[in-house]
């Protein structure tokens, strides 16, 4: 039966699958990009070589009812797993969603677990990869806003001072709002992580 968890007045369902490992395998891949050269005018430019490694662990579980499921995780620091171990995988689903990411892998045989903070945040707030672009834009706006505020103190008239000060504050607000949001994400991710750990019987 799925367990319900409430954080920040939002209800989440924690589902799980427990079974015996019947097979497991680990694979590694390395992707290399760059290294090409090009000429502009009389100058030779070259792109640096960039390599990315991907380690994937896949395992198959069979529960007490004979149901079988496979799971795979890439670049995750899972506990050691081998055939005959009893492993529990848990995933978190927000109340307004139909599915959610895996957040816990618990090897009951070894009494060791992995909890994924990145996936906890994604389950609660969605994919946050766009935050980098939002951060860059808000930082640029903040710098411009600070410039307007500084200029407002040396403006020639009260109306100019008032105008530039207000515009500066409006430009700074997205950055402040983003910082408030990031602190909220960190706070409630920590709270959720604590509650998830409490669901693990160690």
């Amino acid at each position: 039966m799925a367990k319900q968890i409430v954080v920040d007045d939002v209800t989440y369902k924690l589902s799980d699958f427990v079974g015996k490992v019947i097979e497991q395998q680990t694979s590694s891949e390395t992707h290399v990009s760059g290294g090409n050269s090009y000429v502009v005018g009389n100058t030779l430019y070259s792109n640096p070589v960039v390599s990315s490694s991907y380690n994937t662990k896949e395992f198959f579980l069979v529960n007490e009812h004979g149901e079988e499921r496979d799971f795979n995780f890439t670049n995750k620091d899972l506990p050691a797993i081998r055939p005959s171990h009893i492993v529990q995988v848990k995933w978190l689903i927000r109340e307004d969603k139909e599915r959610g990411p895996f957040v816990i892998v618990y090897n009951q045989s070894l009494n060791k677990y992995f909890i994924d903070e990145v996936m906890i945040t994604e389950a609660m707030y969605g994919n946050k990869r766009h935050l980098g672009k939002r951060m860059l834009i808000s930082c640029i706006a903040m710098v411009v806003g600070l410039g307007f505020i500084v200029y407002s103190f040396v403006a020639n008239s009260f109306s100019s001072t008032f105008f530039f000060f207000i515009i500066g504050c409006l430009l700074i607000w997205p950055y402040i709002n983003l910082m408030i949001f990031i602190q909220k994400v960190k706070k409630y991710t920590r709270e959720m992580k604590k509650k998830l750990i409490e669901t693990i019987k160690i």
Side-chain angles (χ1 to χ4, degrees):
M1 183 176 179
K3 178 182 178 61
Q4 286 192 334
I5 299 176
V6 179
V7 174
D8 191 26
D9 297 325
V10 179
T11 302
Y12 300 85
K13 181 172 68 174
L14 183 65
S15 298
D16 72 338
F17 189 90
V18 185
K20 179 181 290 187
V21 180
I22 58 172
E23 183 181 344
Q24 80 86 25
Q25 56 187 14
T26 302
S27 60
S28 298
E29 290 182 39
T30 300
H31 295 172
V32 179
S33 61
N36 57 313
S37 301
Y38 57 96
V39 177
V40 177
N42 295 321
T43 305
L44 176 66
Y45 296 90
S46 61
N47 292 321
V49 176
V50 178
S51 64
S52 301
S53 297
Y54 300 90
N55 298 309
T56 300
K57 179 175 287 188
E58 182 178 22
F59 51 90
F60 295 80
L61 301 180
V62 175
N63 67 11
E64 58 184 2
H65 305 295
E67 299 172 316
E68 181 177 335
R69 292 194 60 173
D70 71 293
F71 300 89
N72 63 80
F73 298 83
T74 300
N75 289 348
K76 303 294 183 182
D77 190 21
L78 302 186
I81 294 173
R82 67 172 177 81
S84 79
H85 281 180
I86 304 299
V87 172
Q88 181 181 37
V89 179
K90 299 187 178 189
W91 56 97
L92 192 64
I93 307 171
R94 188 181 167 106
E95 61 182 349
D96 55 350
K97 304 291 183 180
E98 295 184 355
R99 61 179 62 182
F102 300 124
V103 293
I104 295 175
V105 177
Y106 172 38
N107 187 330
Q108 297 180 359
S109 300
L110 298 180
N111 234 7
K112 294 182 178 180
Y113 68 89
F114 164 75
I115 187 163
D116 196 328
E117 289 190 39
V118 173
M119 291 297 101
I120 292 173
T121 302
E122 185 167 311
M124 298 176 72
Y125 299 100
N127 193 314
K128 291 293 173 268
R129 292 189 179 95
H130 67 279
L131 275 180
K133 183 182 293 184
R134 183 177 169 188
M135 173 70 78
L136 176 62
I137 294 173
S138 63
C139 284
I140 293 173
M142 179 191 67
V143 171
V144 175
L146 287 174
F148 277 121
I149 290 175
V150 170
Y151 181 76
S152 71
F153 291 107
V154 296
N156 295 327
S157 64
F158 174 78
S159 59
S160 295
T161 297
F162 181 78
F163 174 79
F164 284 110
F165 184 80
I166 294 300
I167 294 298
C169 290
L170 291 175
L171 288 170
I172 289 175
W173 173 245
Y175 178 82
I176 296 174
N177 190 48
L178 178 61
M179 291 299 101
I180 293 172
F181 174 73
I182 289 175
Q183 291 306 311
K184 175 183 176 181
V185 170
K186 290 180 178 179
K187 174 185 176 181
Y188 290 116
T189 296
R190 286 195 300 266
E191 183 177 333
M192 176 62 78
K193 180 180 178 181
K194 181 179 178 181
K195 291 191 175 186
L196 289 174
I197 291 175
E198 290 172 355
T199 68
I200 303 173
K201 297 179 180 180
I202 297 181

